[in-house]
Amino acid sequence: MRPLVVYNTRTRQKEAFRPLNAPHVGMYVCGPTVYGDAHLGHARPAITFDIVFRYLTHLGYKVRYVRNITDVGHLEHDADEGEDKIAKKARLEQLEPMEVAQYYTNRFHDAMHALGCLPPSIEPHATGHIIEQEQLVKEILEAGFAYESNGSVYFDVEAYNKKHRYGVLSGRNLDDIINNSRELAGVGEKKNQADFALWKKAQPEHIMRWPSPWSDGFPGWHCECTAMGRKYLGSHFDIHGGGMDLVFPHHECEIAQAVASQGDEMVHYWIHNNMITINGQKMGKSLGNFITLPQFFSGDHEKLTQAYAPMVIRFFILQAHYRSTVDFSNEALQAAEKGLERLMDAFKAFDRIKTSNEGTVGMEFVEGLKEKCYDAMSDDFNTPIVISHLFDASRTLNLLLDGKETITAEVLAAFKEAFSLFTFDILGLQQGASEGTSAAREEAYGEVVNMLLEQRMKAKQNKDWATSDLIRDRLAALGFEVKDTKDGYSWKLNK
């Protein structure tokens, strides 16, 4: 296997990727809570871990990719008190909670498909794993790291912190939090403010509830990922991923639950993508500053100056390293749209390049391109560097198209294969998707333009300059940029 280095949030450094049971790899990624449409902030982890999935699979690993659906009605702001998000939506729309969950799950799947994300190997739902979550709570109680209070069960952070360290992932000092929490009023059923719910007793108005040894209620938010990750990937697996906003408290609590229930940590590599911001603030539902993916695709939002095709969104996200912050703006998306168009135009050029018996562009160039792209991907999935190498390669394509460089048929085929591998298979971009038109419609456009330009070439050969100029000018007026080349012509549609 090609060496791969990944950044581990747990150790705060890059580490060589060594799966526990190679070539098998277990990867768990936190999916959405389905009470509304996915927004741009949801697109980033989906695309980030789609890249991880694609690249590991390409390297020859057998990846079991698990991404959960949170369809239990958790409480507002992921706190232990508040209103059930899914039940609230169901009440407002006069639907069953599972109708709400199914509706937004379907829409999430549609958005992910549009963004070119491959489906996970397994997509478990929290409501389908209540028994496993109850079993997890029982194990933590038996180990002495939880307590029951008025029908609810809470994780005892102070008891855990005496034997283990709570804060290994986030770097937080929980001793200070625990001591300060004693001075706060209103901890209610908890011993300490830092304790978190493993099981909550349902209030009479709470629709989503299940029987348990403690009460009719529902599991705490953090339980589902620990329980389902262990069920499908075992008590020790390779990768757990999600957005950086989940480091604390969600993933910190997951580590504590795993250690409390089985005695050691469950996950080897913690991988987190950074946030998408808008005016410097995290984009998210809790802040009310989000734009949903359907709104991006339609352009129907006050902050959008136009619609953006799903592949433009994907390219926009891949232009930055997954651990860096990305700030949304129409200007940035429009630049991504132009960049994607350049890349797709470069790939189309392969079919117009004339080959020769000898070439100035040799196989060493192709091998060099592949090696540089592999080096970037193997250095913590550095997609922007891959894109920069593809743009460099597109300049060589333009030189070949203009006849300033030459290439043999064998080398051209290898060049096209390498370009296609990283553009489509690994980065997951799709041809013909940046304009939002079907491939058939795009092909029809091309046939018509080529037919007109062939008539223009005939006019030029016959020295009919008036007809030649008329075709060029009319195409230019429609937004087509025509360029005469050594062997004929090239064209593209400007936006």
Side-chain angles (χ1 to χ4, degrees):
M1 296 280 186
R2 179 177 287 269
L4 171 64
V5 174
V6 300
Y7 184 86
N8 191 347
T9 309
R10 172 72 171 81
T11 60
R12 296 168 179 77
Q13 62 184 10
K14 289 183 181 180
E15 298 179 9
F17 182 67
R18 296 189 178 93
L20 299 170
N21 187 29
H24 299 275
V25 173
M27 180 170 76
Y28 188 99
V29 176
C30 290
T33 302
V34 284
Y35 67 99
D37 275 325
H39 55 73
L40 195 60
H42 291 122
R44 194 169 196 194
I47 291 170
T48 294
F49 293 100
D50 182 62
I51 292 292
V52 175
F53 184 31
R54 285 172 180 271
Y55 192 58
L56 290 177
T57 302
H58 172 72
L59 292 182
Y61 291 107
K62 297 179 180 180
V63 185
R64 177 176 287 178
Y65 173 17
V66 180
R67 183 182 66 205
N68 71 297
I69 293 289
T70 300
D71 55 355
V72 172
H74 289 304
L75 304 172
E76 289 291 354
H77 311 303
D78 303 318
D80 291 334
E81 302 297 336
E83 188 169 9
D84 176 333
K85 296 173 181 177
I86 293 178
K88 178 181 178 180
K89 192 84 171 180
R91 188 183 68 253
L92 291 174
E93 299 186 14
Q94 296 184 325
L95 298 170
E96 284 292 325
M98 284 298 99
E99 284 185 275
V100 172
Q102 188 64 58
Y103 176 77
Y104 287 110
T105 298
N106 292 344
R107 289 176 67 85
F108 173 75
H109 288 156
D110 290 344
M112 294 305 103
H113 178 73
L115 290 170
C117 294
L118 299 174
S121 313
I122 303 172
E123 193 173 57
H125 291 226
T127 54
H129 297 79
I130 300 298
I131 293 173
E132 289 84 356
Q133 293 176 75
E134 287 186 15
Q135 180 61 32
L136 175 67
V137 177
K138 289 176 185 177
E139 291 172 5
I140 297 173
L141 276 167
E142 290 168 1
F145 296 117
Y147 57 90
E148 185 180 351
S149 179
N150 297 326
S152 294
V153 180
Y154 294 96
F155 191 93
D156 192 333
V157 171
E158 185 170 28
Y160 177 84
N161 211 49
K162 287 177 180 177
K163 294 187 177 181
H164 308 284
R165 185 192 162 200
Y166 183 74
V168 294
L169 188 65
S170 63
R172 300 193 179 207
N173 186 336
L174 264 293
D175 286 332
D176 292 340
I177 294 176
I178 291 169
N179 290 334
N180 291 337
S181 72
R182 290 196 179 97
E183 301 172 7
L184 297 174
V187 295
E189 300 172 341
K190 301 179 184 180
K191 292 181 180 178
N192 294 295
Q193 194 70 26
D195 295 348
F196 57 91
L198 298 172
W199 185 267
K200 281 292 292 182
K201 180 181 179 180
Q203 298 303 309
E205 67 276 8
H206 200 101
I207 304 172
M208 301 179 79
R209 59 174 69 215
W210 292 266
S212 80
W214 315 288
S215 64
D216 280 3
F218 52 94
W221 173 37
H222 313 300
C223 288
E224 63 182 272
C225 292
T226 305
M228 293 190 292
R230 183 163 62 182
K231 178 178 177 67
Y232 294 108
L233 299 174
S235 57
H236 302 94
F237 58 89
D238 299 295
I239 297 172
H240 196 319
M244 200 167 284
D245 57 331
L246 297 178
V247 170
F248 189 89
H250 187 45
H251 290 164
E252 193 74 75
C253 293
E254 281 196 58
I255 290 177
Q257 289 173 160
V259 174
S261 62
Q262 67 183 40
D264 58 1
E265 292 189 27
M266 187 179 291
V267 178
H268 191 182
Y269 303 97
W270 287 91
I271 299 178
H272 294 90
N273 63 274
N274 214 322
M275 299 296 98
I276 290 182
T277 59
I278 179 167
N279 298 324
Q281 275 192 314
K282 171 197 162 188
M283 182 181 283
K285 291 179 179 175
S286 60
L287 296 174
N289 64 350
F290 64 95
I291 304 172
T292 69
L293 292 175
Q295 287 171 329
F296 272 105
F297 302 158
S298 68
D300 185 20
H301 192 281
E302 60 182 10
K303 293 185 183 297
L304 299 176
T305 58
Q306 65 177 77
Y308 297 98
M311 280 302 110
V312 172
I313 302 294
R314 187 179 180 97
F315 189 74
F316 168 68
I317 288 172
L318 293 179
Q319 279 183 305
H321 190 269
Y322 77 89
R323 286 192 287 113
S324 65
T325 304
V326 176
D327 197 56
F328 156 80
S329 70
N330 281 283
E331 292 76 15
L333 279 169
Q334 287 160 7
E337 189 174 48
K338 291 178 181 176
L340 177 61
E341 185 181 4
R342 277 179 55 204
L343 206 59
M344 294 301 105
D345 285 346
F347 184 74
K348 293 172 189 174
F350 278 106
D351 294 333
R352 303 200 305 275
I353 291 171
K354 307 290 185 183
T355 59
S356 58
N357 293 330
E358 294 183 2
T360 56
V361 176
M363 199 64 79
E364 67 278 1
F365 168 81
V366 177
E367 292 301 320
L369 171 64
K370 288 169 63 177
E371 197 61 29
K372 287 185 288 188
C373 289
Y374 273 123
D375 286 346
M377 285 301 300
S378 296
D379 183 15
D380 198 28
F381 313 103
N382 203 329
T383 58
I385 298 299
V386 174
I387 290 171
S388 72
H389 292 320
L390 292 172
F391 277 137
D392 287 342
S394 69
R395 284 191 277 272
T396 300
L397 282 168
N398 288 331
L399 292 174
L400 289 166
L401 198 61
D402 292 342
K404 296 176 181 177
E405 298 278 5
T406 57
I407 194 168
T408 66
E410 180 186 7
V411 176
L412 181 64
F415 188 4
K416 183 177 182 180
E417 182 181 3
F419 199 96
S420 176
L421 168 66
F422 286 96
T423 303
F424 304 120
D425 296 346
I426 292 176
L427 294 184
L429 298 170
Q430 297 172 2
Q431 254 189 305
S434 61
E435 298 88 357
T437 61
S438 68
R441 188 175 176 186
E442 183 178 276
E443 185 177 350
Y445 273 128
E447 290 292 335
V448 171
V449 175
N450 286 332
M451 181 175 66
L452 288 170
L453 290 176
E454 285 166 8
Q455 293 300 315
R456 178 173 177 265
M457 286 186 68
K458 289 179 180 178
K460 287 175 67 177
Q461 290 168 1
N462 295 330
K463 297 184 180 181
D464 183 357
W465 310 119
T467 301
S468 171
D469 291 345
L470 177 65
I471 293 173
R472 181 198 61 203
D473 294 344
R474 292 293 295 272
L475 285 172
L478 293 170
F480 291 92
E481 180 181 330
V482 177
K483 183 178 179 182
D484 292 318
T485 66
K486 180 181 177 182
D487 298 313
Y489 61 84
S490 66
W491 64 270
K492 69 176 182 177
L493 176 61
N494 292 321
K495 300 233 174 179

